[in-house]
Structure formats: C-alpha cells, structure tokens
Amino acid sequence: MTAYLAPIGLLIISNIFMTFAWYGHLGDMSRPMWLAILIAWGIAFFEYCLAVPANRIGYGVYSAAELKTLQEVITLLIFAGFAVFWLGEKLTLNHLVGFALIAAGAFFIFKGPISVS
C-alpha cells in the first residue's frame, strides 16, 4: 500500500515547492530578476529531492503515463489553491471546465486500454 500512496504524498509536497519556485516571486515583484531566479533554483532543488523518489517508488506500481498524469492533476490542484490564496486570483467557470476536461483525460489514462471489438 505504501508504494501506491508514497508517490502521491511526495508529488503533492514536491508540487508545492515547485509552484512556489515558479510562481512565488509573482507575489513580490520588487526583487531583482536575478535574485528571483536564484531563490527559485534553491526552492526547485527541494522539489527534485522529492519528485525523483516519488517517481522511483511509484514506477513499480504505476506506469510512466500514470505517474505523469498524477503529477499533472496534483499540479493543477496545487496551482489552483496557490493562485487563489497566494496571488489573490479568482477561479472562473472556464477554469473549472478546463480542469474537468483534464480530469476526464486522467480517467482514461488510468482506465487502461479500451478494447475495440
């Protein structure tokens, strides 16, 4: 069971780090670009320290496509919360419809091959 849950937990934490690395500087644009880049690199290091083990552990129970799909869905959920709570943006119906379509795609990735007979 750990092999199924550990990658998800690690990917959630790693995506929190990566979201702050990529977008956290948008909350304070007063820093010079070079400093924002250095800070982002520093944060991204910790993201990689979590994402690599997540994928190594997860590859035994999930396919590469499933791992990537998990990562993308987790990224969207983390980013949606980040955009609302850190950047003060509002989610619109368009965002929700787009996320639902991505979730539908994730369903088909995890469903497995569709037999055509």
Side-chain angles (χ1 to χ4, degrees):
M1 189 60 144
T2 301
Y4 287 94
L5 297 178
I8 294 170
L10 290 167
L11 286 172
I12 288 170
I13 297 167
S14 76
N15 270 281
I16 291 169
F17 276 103
M18 201 58 178
T19 300
F20 273 95
W22 281 25
Y23 303 103
H25 60 90
L26 297 178
D28 179 10
M29 301 280 282
S30 66
R31 290 190 180 109
M33 183 76 71
W34 66 268
L35 183 57
I37 292 168
L38 287 178
I39 292 170
W41 275 5
I43 295 170
F45 170 78
F46 295 103
E47 184 270 340
Y48 277 90
C49 289
L50 296 163
V52 170
N55 287 311
R56 287 261 178 129
I57 294 166
Y59 192 58
V61 294
Y62 299 110
S63 70
E66 289 170 336
L67 281 169
K68 182 60 178 169
T69 302
L70 278 171
Q71 187 269 330
E72 293 299 335
V73 170
I74 289 167
T75 296
L76 283 174
L77 292 172
I78 298 292
F79 183 78
F82 176 86
V84 169
F85 296 111
W86 184 261
L87 298 176
E89 296 186 2
K90 294 185 187 312
L91 290 180
T92 67
L93 182 58
N94 289 20
H95 295 118
L96 298 177
V97 169
F99 292 163
L101 291 171
I102 292 168
F107 167 79
F108 285 104
I109 296 292
F110 279 90
K111 183 174 180 349
I114 298 173
S115 63
V116 180
S117 42

